[in-house]
Amino acid sequence: MPLFSSATPLNRAETGLLLGAVGLFALAVWGPVLPASEHQHAFADQRAWLGIPCALDVLSNLPFALAGVWGLVVLRRVAGIDSASRWLAALFFSGLLCTAAGSMLYHGQPHDAGLLWDRLGMVLPFAGLLGLAATSRVSERAGWAMAGAVLLAGPLAVAWWAHTGNLLPWAVLQGGGMLLIVLLALRKPLTGAWGLPLASVIAWYVLAKALELGDHQVFDLTHGLVSGHTLKHVAAAMAAWPVISLMHNVAQARPSHALPGNPSRVESHTPAVGA
């Protein structure tokens, strides 16, 4: 799986992605120190159930596992897909399984050691998602490059936080990566590309972050029924649904259906809001 499928120079979109990645790297390395919150483990819902501590925050990770398994099953039914999209989709859905495991481990007993595994698990689906977005909007080699960059930078950012307490590199990876996905959503899919519905994915992500930030407020508003962090897990898992739905539609199409990775496709579009 070569990173570059040809020796052609970078096109304008690839150059823009490269410059954006370099800028984010510079911010992560030379930006101000961002200490983690002293209350980062103080989740609103601490209730146990059937011997499971923080039960709802633990069990609400099951949708990640369900989405991961479901996506891998559907992916096997997709015929004629190019290797880049298949591998990146497999990384995304396999990563959801790792996310479920890491988050369940962490929320069973919230502390820094568990949070390290939680964040490492999150790196995998994020790499797959950013890679798929770049593949469908820019080029196959851009997709490989973006996924590879996240797979390299993610563990380094987590290790740096664990060693120094500086959360900035991790925050830049998450926030900056999503910013790149937003910018990619402003471009139409390439001719013959797998039109990943980035707008829907972004909407679920934004909702998940809002629920995460409003953890205690949601718990109070629901009179202790459910916390924002519990709902955040469900909303974040729902971000996989647009990808699964798209794959299901592709699987139902004829084998000759246009798919990404077609060597003949060219970048003949102007920026527009993606599907």
Side-chain angles (χ1 to χ4, degrees):
M1 295 180 295
L3 180 60
F4 296 101
S5 58
S6 67
T8 57
L10 298 181
N11 60 38
R12 185 166 59 180
E14 290 171 333
T15 301
L17 268 183
L18 176 61
L19 292 176
V22 170
L24 292 174
F25 174 79
L27 175 61
V29 173
W30 291 290
V33 173
L34 178 64
S37 169
E38 296 179 358
H39 310 290
Q40 64 179 342
H41 306 307
F43 298 103
D45 193 348
Q46 303 284 336
R47 294 171 296 179
W49 181 63
L50 296 179
I52 303 174
C54 306
L56 287 182
D57 280 353
V58 170
L59 297 176
S60 58
N61 285 285
L62 291 176
F64 286 118
L66 176 62
V69 171
W70 191 2
L72 290 172
V73 170
V74 175
L75 181 60
R76 288 175 59 88
R77 297 168 46 212
V78 178
I81 190 172
D82 66 285
S83 61
S85 295
R86 183 173 296 279
W87 279 98
L88 292 171
L91 176 63
F92 175 67
F93 291 116
S94 299
L96 291 178
L97 295 174
C98 295
T99 297
S103 188
M104 292 177 78
L105 173 68
Y106 166 59
H107 283 288
Q109 188 177 356
H111 50 63
D112 282 356
L115 185 55
L116 183 147
W117 291 107
D118 183 17
R119 287 174 172 165
L120 285 175
M122 293 166 58
V123 169
L124 301 178
F126 194 60
L129 178 62
L130 184 54
L132 283 172
T135 297
S136 66
R137 258 62 175 194
V138 178
S139 68
E140 183 177 312
R141 65 181 180 182
W144 285 123
M146 289 295 99
V150 174
L151 289 175
L152 176 63
L156 290 176
V158 173
W160 187 252
W161 158 75
H163 180 67
T164 68
N166 183 8
L167 194 59
L168 181 66
W170 176 253
V172 169
L173 179 75
Q174 274 200 313
M178 282 308 301
L179 176 60
L180 291 180
I181 291 177
V182 169
L183 293 176
L184 288 170
L186 299 177
R187 299 174 59 85
K188 288 182 179 180
L190 300 179
T191 302
W194 191 5
L196 194 66
L198 294 179
S200 299
V201 174
I202 293 166
W204 282 112
Y205 178 84
V206 170
L207 176 60
K209 292 302 293 185
L211 290 167
E212 179 183 36
L213 294 173
D215 182 28
H216 289 265
Q217 291 85 346
V218 172
F219 195 64
D220 292 339
L221 286 172
T222 60
H223 303 287
L225 178 63
V226 66
S227 71
H229 202 88
T230 293
L231 294 178
K232 172 245 183 175
H233 290 155
V234 178
M238 284 298 298
W241 168 247
V243 185
I244 295 173
S245 179
L246 172 66
M247 288 197 315
H248 178 74
N249 292 337
V250 172
Q252 297 298 317
R254 294 176 300 174
S256 60
H257 182 80
L259 290 169
N262 184 343
S264 65
R265 69 181 184 176
V266 294
E267 195 176 349
S268 57
H269 60 271
T270 54
V273 177

